[in-house]
Amino acid sequence: MAKTRPGVSAPKLKAGKKGLHSYTIRGTNKIVRVGDCVLMRPSDIGRPPYVARVEKIESDNRNNFKVRVRWYYRPEESLGGRRQFHGAKELFLSDHYDVQSAQTVEGKCIVHSFKNYTKLENVGAEDYYCRFEYKAATGAFTPDRVAVYCKCEMPYNPDDLMVQCEGCKDWYHPACVGMTIEEAKMLEHFVCFECSEDDFKQFQNGFHASPVSDAKVESKRQKR
């Protein structure tokens, strides 16, 4: 694995460097501090900015500023590539570190935990999320397993609409239960096929189905 991101050269630190607590992005009033997440300029025109977490800020005796960063990878930059359950704003925190010129920092962003991201009412251009750490050399993820949902048994993608069954409380993609997105948005109640069959069997055997008329289905994904 290369020591620098493709298209980004890493300057060498010179003698006489000193550690700093913050750095002001050139041409702005935005202050970057250690621990902040930043957008970094790629050399290839048309590519989205790289995303990194600032681990250290230094300057030398010529007042050249450098940042040591830990890279976030986008799904398409990983060995396995982008998959269906990866959200548009999903990033992986890698074990890949670099030292870069602070002049390549274009702006700041926020990388939320997956849980906090799903609670956002409005997702801004600078909002991202991370639920996996990624080893760049091997392509391994931590954690290596996450909860799956729906008949398709896929991890949750916060970009996708899902509906919750009032019976089993599981979540389903509309397409997996024979609905369009528009139909799902109009739902007031939803019971999956398996729960509908169970209720019918209970009725045949002389038992009453559990009442679900008071439980309203939400089309917004919630943690089970």
Side-chain angles (χ1 to χ4, degrees), residues 16-92:
K17 61 182 181 295
K18 61 179 179 180
L20 302 172
H21 295 294
S22 63
Y23 165 79
T24 301
I25 300 175
R26 177 180 291 186
T28 75
N29 59 358
K30 294 182 179 179
I31 299 174
V32 174
R33 296 179 173 84
V34 172
D36 286 347
C37 293
V38 294
L39 302 171
M40 303 191 72
R41 182 178 65 250
S43 61
D44 297 336
I45 298 176
R47 291 194 60 169
Y50 294 130
V51 182
R53 189 172 72 190
V54 177
E55 303 289 316
K56 193 173 185 179
I57 304 172
E58 295 178 327
S59 67
D60 60 22
N61 51 15
R62 295 185 178 180
N63 212 30
N64 294 314
F65 293 91
K66 311 289 191 298
V67 288
R68 175 173 168 80
V69 299
R70 184 176 181 182
W71 295 112
Y72 284 97
Y73 279 42
R74 289 183 169 83
E76 55 269 25
E77 298 171 326
S78 68
L79 292 179
R82 179 173 288 278
R83 298 182 61 186
Q84 180 181 344
F85 62 87
H86 291 142
K89 307 302 289 290
E90 184 158 8
L91 302 171
F92 309 143

Side-chain angles (χ1 to χ4, degrees), residues 12-178:
K12 297 180 180 179
L13 292 176
K14 299 180 180 180
K17 61 182 181 295
K18 61 179 179 180
L20 302 172
H21 295 294
S22 63
Y23 165 79
T24 301
I25 300 175
R26 177 180 291 186
T28 75
N29 59 358
K30 294 182 179 179
I31 299 174
V32 174
R33 296 179 173 84
V34 172
D36 286 347
C37 293
V38 294
L39 302 171
M40 303 191 72
R41 182 178 65 250
S43 61
D44 297 336
I45 298 176
R47 291 194 60 169
Y50 294 130
V51 182
R53 189 172 72 190
V54 177
E55 303 289 316
K56 193 173 185 179
I57 304 172
E58 295 178 327
S59 67
D60 60 22
N61 51 15
R62 295 185 178 180
N63 212 30
N64 294 314
F65 293 91
K66 311 289 191 298
V67 288
R68 175 173 168 80
V69 299
R70 184 176 181 182
W71 295 112
Y72 284 97
Y73 279 42
R74 289 183 169 83
E76 55 269 25
E77 298 171 326
S78 68
L79 292 179
R82 179 173 288 278
R83 298 182 61 186
Q84 180 181 344
F85 62 87
H86 291 142
K89 307 302 289 290
E90 184 158 8
L91 302 171
F92 309 143
L93 180 61
S94 78
D95 59 350
H96 182 181
Y97 294 82
D98 267 338
V99 176
Q100 299 290 327
S101 168
Q103 294 182 21
T104 62
V105 177
E106 293 185 320
K108 296 177 65 174
C109 62
I110 302 173
V111 181
H112 302 270
S113 69
F114 182 68
K115 181 178 180 180
N116 289 343
Y117 182 86
T118 59
K119 293 180 179 179
L120 295 178
E121 292 186 3
N122 297 296
V123 176
E126 297 177 349
D127 289 312
Y128 297 87
Y129 71 89
C130 176
R131 56 178 157 180
F132 296 107
E133 291 193 13
Y134 175 71
K135 291 188 178 297
T138 64
F141 290 94
T142 304
D144 58 358
R145 295 182 181 181
V146 292
V148 296
Y149 302 91
C150 190
K151 296 164 62 176
C152 61
E153 296 188 340
M154 294 290 287
Y156 175 51
N157 181 341
D159 298 337
D160 292 342
L161 176 73
M162 298 186 81
V163 293
Q164 188 182 37
C165 172
E166 295 175 346
C168 63
K169 305 302 181 184
D170 204 355
W171 292 87
Y172 294 86
H173 300 108
C176 293
V177 290

